Amino acid sequence: MGDPALIFENVVKAFRMRNRSDALRDAIPRTFLKLLGRGGPKPKRFTALNEVSFTAERGEVLGVVGANGAGKSTSLRLAASVYPPDSGAVTVHGRVSALIELSAGFHPDLSGRENIYLAGALQGLGRREIASVFDEIAAFADIGEYLESPVRTYSSGMAVRLGFAVAAHVPAEVMLVDEVLAVGDMEFRAKCLRKMAGRREEGAAVLFVSHNLTIIEQFCDRVIFLHHGKIRADGPARETLAVYRKHVAEDARVSSIRESASPRLRRGTGAVRLEEVRLVGDGEGLARTGGELTLSARWRAEQQVARPVFGMQIHSVEGVLCARISSEGRKGAPERIEGEGKMVFQIPELPLLPGHYEVTVSVWEENGLVPFDLHQCLYPLEVTGDPLPGTDGLVNLEVSFQTSP
Amino acid sequence: MFAAFGKHRYLLGLLVIREVRIRYARAALGIAWALFMPLVMMLVFTVLNFGRLIEDESEYKKLPYSVFAYCGLLFWTHFATSLTQGTPSLVISGNLLKKCAFPREVIPLAKMFSGLLDLGIGAVFLVILMWITNVPLRISAVAVPFILVLQIVFTAGLVLLLSAANLFFRDVNYLVQVGVVLGMFATSVIYPVMTEHDTANLILGLNPMSAFLDAYREALLLGRFPGPGLWVGALGSVAALLLGVFAFRRMSPRFAEEV
């Protein structure tokens, strides 16, 4: 084993909050105030990582989970030396490769071949090093004869695949993987994950950030859970994820009780309002594949409303509509409502596979054209479960299988 | 600075090639555009008879004004383009800065080096123009590469400083656009800079770009090796490079978070 390949010691990283301070207009008076000994208002700082310490051993996949803004990406960038820590130390033994979306460095007018060399050089490879893995990169990206065409003629999927392919072939002792699963098709994701596992076999340390807890559980030896820039849990994958799931469930309850939602996501005439929306399966905002899920809300109608339509939608985090259901035509659809009451959608067996989803709840006028109150994707839903190996996608199908001689 | 590149020289080379390739990639006239800017300016200033701004006793008066102006515009254009394109280059590449940890110098420097191709093509045209107008090319022309190195060093220092500063204050970019236009009139590009005030002349005489342009003209057009005026330029080059590298080194670790 030897030394850990990646060591974070009491790492602190804070960022200046930006409000137009990048204009000289503000900097000049500020400088003068400083010279006069009056500091003026100090720019606000946001602490992304606060005294974070962990290590990643050689031959280990270390998973990182946490909500958006918890410090996951900051950790990866510190490990990649994109910027230095404010205090503490980040030590890397060996070379770092970042399996992040590299197509940013691509130029549309250059061919795939030229862009491979450019992206490789950006990761610190020399010409010979790139040439020695060039064929593997081209095969991994699987772009066929497009290799010699300008990248502007590529589909977005092809460009992304090419970017990942380059990063995946940088020989390195520490590999950083940021949410590969958010891009590319199923087959390509599987390829990336296999590559990651291969790297672990070769003795590299892998730092793996993902929102997909199933994949994290499957691939990671150890997982750390970041919360508001601090490590909340660090240990074997199963143990950390248990802490994380519990936390997510509690968090979802807190957020769903809060009535004021961001106006961009909540709209409607207000003739009927939905309040106290609750999404309950195993817990608040938490459900199991094949388990029960209940969406309930209180409605309030100031005046009488005829034949309102209640609706519910489930989107995957990638924005795919998984299901839309409404009260229309169902037993229990109200003729008219007034005052206060409660609505419930009950799904006895949730057919969704594990992952992150977002739930929309709404109430519409009878033609379904004008929303009275629409809570677009306001309710996060985390689905867990143990689907059979080889199952993937969004929907869990009831399947029988047989084979005959 | 250049030693530190070591293995990243390859990256710098690729970026330079990329700049050159994409600059003319989808233009029907392609690389011919490289000639365009200084050539058009030279024609405009010649037609407008800016040559009358050259004093009668000046030895430049013997030269055809078109050659005088083109020689200045050619080398000035490289300087001006390097600054106007180099200054915003780090901001434009912000996405890349956030993702990879390559040495940041390569981005603005690639902009500057890629302009050398245009300069080379323009230089060929300068020789043709000299041949047409009967200005002999003499042995002193061997001094040109040395002057060019000094100019590149000077430009590199400024580009490093300005591109880094622009990440922190986006105003820098606008200042540079204005500064380059004003700078052309404060430099001996289309006329030898000369005012009626001695103090002003002294200050204008400290402009390293004027020193370079005068030196090019001496070496190429007047057929003699550059005089002591070039020392001003050399000092300016060293000062600019030291300042640029020092400032860049100080600021570059923070680039990714300032984008």
Side-chain angles (χ1 to χ4, degrees), chain A residues 314-316 322 352-359 379-381 383 394:
Chain A
I314 305 179
H315 283 89
S316 74
C322 305
L352 293 175
L353 283 167
H356 281 271
Y357 299 88
E358 286 165 346
V359 174
Y379 305 100
L381 172 65
V383 178
L394 295 170

Side-chain angles (χ1 to χ4, degrees), chain B residues 1-208:
Chain B
M1 176 179 69
F2 293 96
F5 280 136
K7 60 176 185 171
H8 290 287
R9 244 195 337 252
Y10 175 60
L11 172 60
L12 180 60
L14 277 185
L15 286 172
V16 171
I17 293 168
R18 180 184 84 158
E19 291 294 333
V20 170
R21 286 279 320 269
I22 62 184
R23 190 173 304 169
Y24 304 115
R26 301 180 77 182
L29 290 181
I31 205 82
W33 284 110
L35 287 173
F36 193 71
M37 184 69 171
L39 186 60
V40 168
M41 302 257 282
M42 178 271 275
L43 290 174
V44 169
F45 291 123
T46 306
V47 169
L48 294 179
N49 192 19
F50 269 55
R52 62 176 184 255
L53 293 177
I54 301 178
E55 291 175 341
D56 286 335
E57 53 268 33
S58 166
E59 51 192 334
Y60 291 132
K61 205 66 181 180
K62 295 177 292 190
L63 296 168
Y65 178 71
S66 59
V67 177
F68 173 89
Y70 185 73
C71 182
L73 286 164
L74 174 65
F75 291 100
W76 174 263
T77 302
H78 178 260
F79 175 73
T81 314
S82 296
L83 289 199
T84 49
Q85 299 202 353
T87 301
S89 63
L90 284 170
V91 170
I92 291 168
S93 301
N95 223 335
L96 217 48
L97 299 184
K98 283 194 205 163
K99 290 190 167 160
C100 300
F102 58 92
R104 277 66 172 96
E105 294 92 324
V106 296
I107 299 268
L109 291 183
K111 289 278 180 201
M112 186 196 69
F113 283 120
S114 68
L116 289 177
L117 179 69
D118 291 13
L119 181 61
I121 294 169
V124 172
F125 182 77
L126 175 63
V127 173
I128 295 172
L129 189 66
M130 286 167 67
W131 181 70
I132 294 172
T133 54
N134 283 321
V135 178
L137 189 64
R138 294 189 204 275
I139 184 71
S140 57
V142 297
V144 170
F146 297 97
I147 310 168
L148 185 58
V149 167
L150 290 178
Q151 183 188 331
I152 287 173
V153 168
F154 179 66
T155 313
L158 286 189
V159 166
L160 287 176
L161 177 71
L162 294 170
S163 60
N166 189 49
L167 267 178
F168 294 85
F169 304 107
R170 305 291 148 93
D171 313 54
V172 172
N173 193 25
Y174 302 107
L175 287 174
V176 167
Q177 313 291 332
V178 177
V180 163
V181 173
L182 291 181
M184 183 168 140
F185 294 103
T187 305
S188 307
V189 182
I190 48 171
Y191 46 72
V193 175
M194 198 60 75
T195 69
E196 282 157 15
H197 303 279
D198 287 344
T199 339
N201 284 339
L202 193 69
I203 295 169
L204 289 169
L206 292 176
N207 176 352

Side-chain angles (χ1 to χ4, degrees), chain A residues 370-391:
Chain A
V370 180
F372 292 135
D373 196 3
L374 170 64
H375 299 208
Q376 180 83 42
C377 293
L378 283 188
Y379 305 100
L381 172 65
E382 166 97 17
V383 178
T384 59
D386 303 299
L388 292 172
T391 308

